[in-house]
Amino acid sequence: MRPDLFQSPDYYLLDELLSDEHKMVRDAARAWVKKEVSPIIEEYAQRAEFPHQIVKGLGEIGGFGPYIPVEYGGAGLDQISYGLIMQEIERGDSGVRSTSSVQSSLVMYPIWKYGNEEQRMKYLPKLATGEFIGCFGLTEPDFGSNPGGMVTNFKDMGDHYLLNGAKMWISNAPFADIAVVWAKNEEGRIHGLIVERGMEGFSTPETHNKWSLRASATGELIFDNVKVPKENLLPNKSGLGAPLGCLDSARYGIAWGAIGAAMDCYDTALRYSKERIQFDKPIGATQLQQKKLAEMITEITKAQLLTWRLGVLRNEGKATSAQISMAKRNNVDMALTIARDARQMLGGMGITGEYSIMRHMMNLESVVTYEGTHDIHLLITGMDVTGFPAFK
């Protein structure tokens, strides 16, 4: 395993826009990634296995619900701190960041925002430390970009709800202790339900043979006449807007996270370009390689400015769903392009596990699709600027 020599690019001195707390939080996450993730992640990705031993550390650096109030076990941090943590974790690996952001934005967020006080106190402190791991059930085998078409449903049986259906492509599913599941009631209204492992009829088969997010556990959620206690219904918001509000938080985290993957690819390619000699000089001294590096740092800088401003808007409660979509789409596309160019700069070495680039590239092929595909986010921006929905 090569040592983690990562140095973060900051071409426009964006650190000057961050508070001391922001930098402290980021640096702690960066140090943890260098110590606990970088030395093992290639091996775990090759084995297609999630490194369970890192869960406690993720909790300690604020990787689980950092913006959740302290009284519920969170760190009470702002949205920029959350973004910076996601950036540093994804610099290590997109799959590890997936585990973190699912727990934060898709499990803890809805319990905090849509749950009652009893649910918050029961689940959030254990989720914040990683004692509990959660997952989010929205996507179905036949309904991805159109989640409102879901068929998973529950019926009121008097003293409990009876849940039936299935969810697919669910991060953390194989080992999750709880699942926040979105299903339709008998009137067709979407509600969130907390389903706990061990409930009869609830199973979580793992999805195998992935070429992407190999160090992240993915699975299905199967509900076969699952009896869910009525107190497990999230009472404070229903309708499709409820899960979409969670996705806003997750997509915001992804916009920051993708920058981390891009920075790692850029930093690797830059270092390699100074060391690799061809035709009696470093390849970094050639025009074509400098073109690639110059374009990389330009796009990273633009993405950094985009997400910093979005973080300010989130802190002020002004960020729109469409603004978040723009950042998610732009930054993941940016990171994919940088990963591909960086891979070319390393030649044959770029496809090996000696370097992180090919792993990032494969991971980003999932990131560009999940939490809203590249094309769907394009249509969200299009609808926002024209007023015309073009989804169908």
Side-chain angles (χ1 to χ4, degrees), residues 49-350:
E49 181 181 336
F50 176 74
H52 290 274
Q53 70 271 23
I54 69 172
V55 167
K56 185 174 183 289
L58 278 171
E60 290 171 350
I61 63 165
F64 298 141
Y67 49 78
I68 299 294
V70 174
E71 58 263 36
Y72 302 122
L77 299 173
D78 73 351
Q79 289 292 304
I80 291 176
S81 293
Y82 170 52
L84 289 165
I85 293 170
M86 295 301 103
Q87 171 187 285
E88 295 305 314
I89 295 175
E90 188 146 1
R91 205 278 300 175
D93 186 75
S94 300
V96 176
R97 197 269 309 141
S98 293
T99 292
S100 178
S101 61
V102 165
Q103 182 98 327
S104 298
S105 291
L106 302 183
V107 180
M108 298 178 74
Y109 180 89
I111 293 173
W112 173 44
K113 285 291 189 181
Y114 311 149
N116 57 35
E117 194 65 13
E118 182 181 351
Q119 291 166 341
R120 295 180 191 122
M121 295 306 298
K122 179 179 180 180
Y123 296 109
L124 291 178
K126 291 183 178 180
L127 289 164
T129 62
E131 180 181 347
F132 278 5
I133 292 292
C135 64
F136 175 84
L138 180 63
T139 298
E140 297 187 357
D142 294 321
F143 296 96
S145 294
N146 177 26
M150 71 174 65
V151 296
T152 299
N153 65 90
F154 65 97
K155 295 180 180 179
D156 190 333
M157 306 303 289
D159 62 345
H160 65 273
Y161 298 120
L162 198 64
L163 177 65
N164 281 281
K167 303 292 183 177
M168 196 171 188
W169 305 119
I170 310 301
S171 294
N172 301 352
F175 53 79
D177 299 286
I178 67 169
V180 174
V181 178
W182 301 93
K184 289 180 177 176
N185 65 10
E186 290 158 282
E187 289 75 46
R189 184 76 176 173
I190 294 171
H191 289 266
L193 298 159
I194 301 172
V195 181
E196 300 180 16
R197 184 169 295 281
M199 289 182 175
E200 188 176 353
F202 175 41
S203 58
T204 59
E206 187 165 1
T207 302
H208 296 288
N209 298 322
K210 299 181 300 177
W211 287 112
S212 182
L213 297 181
R214 289 173 60 82
S216 174
T218 308
E220 301 174 57
L221 304 177
I222 308 296
F223 313 106
D224 182 9
N225 288 324
V226 179
K227 293 181 179 179
V228 181
K230 286 198 166 180
E231 59 264 28
N232 284 30
L233 181 85
L234 297 176
N236 292 331
K237 191 172 179 66
S238 64
L240 188 57
L244 292 183
C246 306
L247 290 174
D248 273 353
S249 182
R251 290 163 175 170
Y252 168 75
I254 290 169
W256 280 91
I259 297 174
M263 291 195 303
D264 197 58
C265 292
Y266 165 77
D267 182 65
T268 301
L270 177 62
R271 188 173 294 107
Y272 188 85
S273 77
K274 296 176 180 179
E275 299 169 351
R276 175 65 168 166
I277 307 297
Q278 287 292 285
F279 303 105
D280 302 319
K281 65 180 180 181
I283 63 171
T286 64
Q287 290 184 358
L288 286 178
Q289 305 311 316
Q290 287 191 9
K291 176 181 184 293
K292 289 185 178 73
L293 291 166
E295 289 174 342
M296 288 181 198
I297 190 58
T298 301
E299 294 306 313
I300 287 170
T301 301
K302 287 157 64 175
Q304 288 172 323
L305 288 163
L306 187 67
T307 44
W308 173 80
R309 178 57 185 161
L310 185 61
V312 172
L313 292 174
R314 288 276 289 175
N315 282 339
E316 295 174 350
K318 296 178 182 177
T320 67
S321 296
Q323 288 169 335
I324 295 168
S325 280
M326 177 184 283
K328 191 271 184 181
R329 177 180 175 272
N330 179 83
N331 290 8
V332 178
D333 182 65
M334 172 274 299
L336 256 176
T337 299
I338 286 176
R340 289 167 180 157
D341 286 347
R343 209 293 302 161
Q344 289 190 49
M345 288 184 65
L346 267 67
M349 290 304 297

Side-chain angles (χ1 to χ4, degrees), residues 32-50:
W32 179 82
V33 166
K34 286 194 173 194
K35 181 181 178 183
E36 303 294 340
V37 178
S38 299
I40 65 166
I41 197 63
E42 298 295 345
E43 177 187 350
Y44 278 85
Q46 291 283 358
R47 295 205 312 249
E49 181 181 336
F50 176 74

Side-chain angles (χ1 to χ4, degrees), residues 313-382:
L313 292 174
R314 288 276 289 175
N315 282 339
E316 295 174 350
K318 296 178 182 177
T320 67
S321 296
Q323 288 169 335
I324 295 168
S325 280
M326 177 184 283
K328 191 271 184 181
R329 177 180 175 272
N330 179 83
N331 290 8
V332 178
D333 182 65
M334 172 274 299
L336 256 176
T337 299
I338 286 176
R340 289 167 180 157
D341 286 347
R343 209 293 302 161
Q344 289 190 49
M345 288 184 65
L346 267 67
M349 290 304 297
I351 71 166
T352 72
E354 290 293 310
Y355 296 90
S356 61
I357 294 172
M358 193 71 179
R359 175 171 50 82
H360 282 307
M361 190 193 308
M362 292 191 299
N363 285 342
L364 289 164
E365 288 292 348
S366 289
V367 181
V368 79
T369 299
Y370 70 24
E371 314 287 0
T373 69
H374 185 78
D375 291 342
I376 287 294
H377 286 298
L378 183 79
L379 294 179
I380 290 171
T381 303

